[in-house]
Amino acid sequence: MRTRTRSPWPYLLIAPTVAGGAFLLLYPLLKAAVISFQHFRMGELIRGGAAFAGLENYAELLTGAEFWQVLLRTLVWTATNVVLIVVLSTGVALMLPRLRRGLRLALMSALALAWATPIIAATTIFQWLFQSELGVVNWLLVTLGLDSFQGYTWFANGTATFAVLVVLVVWQSVPFAALTLYAGLTTIPAELYESARIDGGTGRQVFWKITFPMLRHLFALVTSLEVIWVAKCFPQIWVLSQGGPDGATTTLPVYAFKIARVLHRYDLGSAVAMLTVVLLAVALVSNLRRMVRS
């Protein structure tokens, strides 16, 4: 019997792309890991010759109160955004099939445009919207009778700044998640919904008995992607508040950058970055294992 041999050409054709992607992804990660175990500051950056420091940088972080405060803030930031994104995206995805074709196309186009808006551009627009004197948000709230928002300075209050950033990130994230879930909805056989309606099932029952079980893996995947996207958010926070006021919006990525940029503690900043990667990897692996088992 003749044995069929596989041609090496497909692998050779994709090898440059795979090698380039691996280099761009793995080299910075490995470099940061090495620096996190060294004494690496401005002097070492200029002249080289960084000394091995072992676990000193990690010990300094884990024994300090500031790191744990930033970690807790990051967890609250991630949980708040991800819950809002998943809930709103699910609502939008369930609404799309019920719209007429023209409205559905218009809404999907608007979602795509919002998703395609560059991050820095969208963040700058939100700065204008929430500007204290000429911002549209304050003008609208005052018009509705909320006179306390006359000249209200959103970015001088930590809670208000945090809320503005949540609105910004949710606005940027919902389009991708909603369109992904809508694409999943189109794969569910219509006969299942017809049978449920004939049996008198309510909308809530149909969702929990048909839609969610059929798209369980897709919901898990979208949630995992959003956790990664939200936890590593940096440009929105840095452009809008630089982690302020008084550190109220400083998450782990911003904390790592501030340590490296302001204090020139590249070793400590790398240690923060590596701990962030480890936390995300643990969360992602546990979620994917649960998804595979189900």
Side-chain angles (χ1 to χ4, degrees):
M1 185 175 179
R2 186 176 180 181
T3 303
R4 185 177 179 181
T5 58
R6 291 184 178 181
S7 172
W9 280 108
Y11 302 99
L12 293 176
L13 291 174
I14 67 172
T17 302
V18 173
F23 176 77
L24 293 175
L25 290 174
L26 294 179
Y27 177 75
L29 181 64
L30 295 176
K31 186 65 175 178
V34 171
I35 293 176
S36 70
F37 292 103
Q38 294 177 331
H39 184 279
F40 199 103
R41 304 183 185 183
M42 181 61 74
E44 287 74 18
L45 179 66
I46 296 174
R47 65 175 181 267
F52 180 71
L55 297 175
E56 290 182 9
N57 295 316
Y58 292 96
E60 181 177 349
L61 282 175
L62 297 177
T63 56
E66 187 176 12
F67 171 79
W68 295 106
Q69 294 173 356
V70 174
L71 176 60
L72 177 60
R73 188 180 302 114
T74 304
L75 294 176
V76 173
W77 160 262
T78 304
T80 302
N81 279 283
V82 170
V83 169
L84 289 174
I85 291 167
V86 173
V87 171
L88 292 175
S89 301
T90 302
V92 173
L94 293 173
M95 180 181 65
L96 281 171
R98 293 168 172 78
L99 298 177
R100 290 181 297 177
R101 180 168 180 169
L103 288 176
R104 183 165 64 248
L105 180 61
L107 180 55
M108 292 177 67
S109 300
L111 291 172
L113 288 173
W115 184 37
T117 303
I119 293 176
I120 302 300
T123 306
T124 304
I125 291 172
F126 267 70
Q127 281 182 316
W128 295 342
L129 290 175
F130 288 90
Q131 207 270 340
S132 59
E133 296 298 333
L134 303 175
V136 175
V137 174
N138 281 357
W139 169 81
L140 181 61
L141 293 173
V142 171
T143 303
L144 294 175
L146 301 174
D147 296 332
S148 60
F149 285 93
Q150 180 70 46
Y152 182 75
T153 307
W154 291 86
F155 304 118
N157 180 276
T159 303
T161 306
F162 191 93
V164 172
L165 283 166
V166 167
V167 174
L168 170 60
V169 171
V170 170
W171 178 81
Q172 290 178 320
S173 305
V174 163
F176 168 77
L179 292 175
T180 302
L181 293 175
Y182 171 68
L185 286 173
T186 61
T187 65
I188 300 178
E191 293 81 4
L192 295 178
Y193 291 118
E194 293 176 2
S195 300
R197 283 193 293 268
I198 293 173
D199 293 336
T202 63
R204 181 177 299 179
Q205 290 173 332
V206 169
F207 176 79
W208 288 111
K209 298 296 184 181
I210 297 177
T211 304
F212 185 76
M214 294 288 290
L215 300 181
R216 183 187 301 273
H217 289 179
L218 186 59
F219 273 103
L221 180 61
V222 168
T223 302
S224 299
L225 292 175
E226 293 303 335
V227 167
I228 296 172
W229 159 256
V230 171
K232 70 181 185 64
C233 274
F234 173 80
Q236 298 94 326
I237 299 175
W238 188 255
V239 172
L240 205 66
S241 66
Q242 295 189 357
D246 298 327
T249 57
T250 297
T251 58
L252 285 174
V254 179
Y255 184 53
F257 182 76
K258 290 172 72 173
I259 290 176
R261 182 176 184 266
V262 177
L263 302 179
H264 302 293
R265 291 291 308 274
Y266 306 109
D267 46 8
L268 201 61
S270 296
V272 176
M274 294 311 302
L275 289 174
T276 304
V277 171
V278 170
L279 291 173
L280 286 176
V282 170
L284 181 60
V285 169
S286 61
N287 189 39
L288 291 178
R289 287 182 62 186
R290 191 182 307 113
M291 181 176 67
V292 171
R293 288 177 180 176
S294 63

